[in-house]
Amino acid sequence: MKELLGTGVALVTPFNNDKSVDFEGLKRLVNFQIDNGVNYLVVLGTTGEPATLTLQEKEQVKKTVIEANNGRLPLVIGIGGNNTMAVVNEIKSTDLSAFCAILSVSPYYNKPSQEGIYQHFKAISEASPLPIILYNVPGRTGRNFEPKTILRLANDFENIVAIKEAAGDMVQAMRILQHKPKNFMVISGDDMIALPITLAGGSGVISVIAQGLPKDFSEMIQLGLNGNIEKANALQFKIMDSIDYIFEECNPSGIKAMLKALNVCSENVRLPLVEASDDLQQKINNFVINY
């Protein structure tokens, strides 16, 4: 899928000081991404704090992004969870006409076996009218989505087209790249190794830091796709410290602190998350000032 090549951004959901959704901030965020060269946008991924949004708020977030984007970039929708039936029902009941693919996280907390993960995505595949991006993030789900299971799904279902691989394990990513079907895409879900995965044959990234540094990060990935290693590495080393900072406490508190420093939106998050500490905000502010 050409739409998923390059840099996708997992959009945050901006909040006002009273913790209501800041829809004007969300519009600014969308335009900031588009104006600075990212390739596609991910709506209501885990970085968007969907676990703390009401159904009505989710609908309004989707509507706001669709309208602000105005057809300029491909859109991916996050629909996942640890209740297979609920995920299937959400897919069937959602208007997906504005989206090119679904990003669906591996079940969290339940800690299913690899067979359970396979059956979960089999059910989703059979219900989905759109291509599916699998999402492996064992640091949050408590269970690694093993390469053999990813490859089994990739070979068995035509509409399972990609994996967002966020295990932070370069060797695991290379195993998937080594054995994947020709058109199956390996997309980094880990900003720090997005360039190495791209250079090893990956298709780019679904990024958090890119929404704070969209121009340079998306350029870095494009240079990687083009095989321009020297220039890509120079950008990687320029950006690296900021990646450490935004994940130092929790996501999306760090990236929201950066977006505040850039005057895009506030640093507000919803409980049980809390805003970045004063020390971290100062580090991020200094990085932005000196970048």
Side-chain angles (χ1 to χ4, degrees):
M1 284 185 65
K2 290 187 296 183
E3 298 98 328
L4 302 178
L5 193 64
T7 300
V9 164
L11 295 170
V12 304
T13 302
F15 296 125
N16 296 303
N17 288 336
D18 65 359
K19 303 304 174 80
S20 61
V21 178
D22 175 11
F23 294 108
E24 291 305 312
L26 183 56
K27 292 174 188 176
R28 286 194 300 275
L29 180 65
V30 169
N31 285 310
F32 184 54
Q33 306 313 305
I34 296 170
D35 293 345
N36 285 282
V38 306
N39 300 105
Y40 61 99
L41 303 174
V42 179
V43 186
L44 296 175
T46 48
T47 298
E49 297 176 74
T52 60
L53 297 175
T54 67
L55 289 175
Q56 185 178 10
E57 286 171 334
K58 288 181 184 179
E59 288 303 313
Q60 194 62 42
V61 165
K62 285 187 283 187
K63 182 181 178 184
T64 300
V65 173
I66 290 166
E67 290 177 355
N69 180 56
N70 196 26
R72 289 178 288 174
L73 291 183
L75 299 178
V76 172
I77 180 73
I79 303 179
N82 61 352
N83 178 342
T84 307
M85 189 180 298
V87 176
V88 166
N89 289 339
E90 185 175 350
I91 289 170
K92 289 180 176 179
S93 62
T94 298
D95 179 1
L96 299 169
S97 57
F99 301 96
C100 70
I102 291 169
L103 174 66
S104 196
V105 67
S106 182
Y108 43 83
Y109 189 79
N110 313 54
K111 298 182 78 171
S113 66
Q114 294 302 304
E115 183 62 26
I117 295 172
Y118 176 89
Q119 293 297 332
H120 173 82
F121 282 106
K122 177 177 185 286
I124 290 172
S125 170
E126 291 170 348
S128 177
L130 290 182
I132 296 161
I133 307 167
L134 309 171
Y135 182 15
N136 182 35
V137 57
R140 287 180 176 264
T141 64
R143 179 74 78 198
N144 188 32
F145 198 156
E146 294 178 8
K148 64 181 181 182
T149 310
I150 293 165
L151 295 166
R152 185 180 167 202
L153 286 160
N155 282 299
D156 288 355
F157 301 99
E158 287 187 3
N159 64 343
I160 294 180
V161 299
I163 175 75
K164 179 184 176 185
E165 176 53 47
D169 184 338
M170 192 64 203
V171 174
Q172 175 160 303
M174 290 174 69
R175 295 287 184 210
I176 302 167
L177 285 162
Q178 179 184 19
H179 296 293
K180 73 178 184 68
K182 181 179 179 182
N183 293 322
F184 186 76
M185 304 175 81
V186 178
I187 299 168
S188 177
D190 187 316
D191 286 336
M192 194 63 87
I193 59 172
L195 178 60
I197 286 176
T198 301
L199 291 171
S203 298
V205 62
I206 293 175
S207 174
V208 177
I209 191 62
Q211 68 194 303
L213 303 171
K215 186 175 185 298
D216 279 358
F217 202 88
S218 55
E219 182 182 350
M220 178 191 79
I221 295 298
Q222 193 58 55
L223 287 166
L225 289 168
N226 294 341
N228 193 331
I229 298 172
E230 187 174 351
K231 286 185 178 180
N233 278 336
L235 283 171
Q236 166 97 18
F237 297 139
K238 182 181 178 184
I239 291 166
M240 273 177 68
D241 286 350
S242 70
I243 299 172
D244 283 335
Y245 296 155
I246 67 162
F247 292 109
E248 185 173 305
E249 292 179 356
C250 63
N251 182 49
S253 299
I255 189 62
K256 282 189 167 182
M258 178 176 277
L259 292 168
K260 178 190 178 184
L262 293 164
N263 296 312
V264 176
C265 64
S266 81
E267 78 280 26
N268 296 316
V269 293
R270 281 184 177 171
L271 289 169
L273 299 183
V274 294
E275 288 74 31
S277 66
D278 290 343
D279 286 348
L280 180 57
Q281 289 197 47
Q282 190 59 54
K283 281 196 279 191
I284 290 171
N285 288 342
N286 290 340
F287 179 89
V288 170
I289 290 166
N290 295 311
Y291 186 72

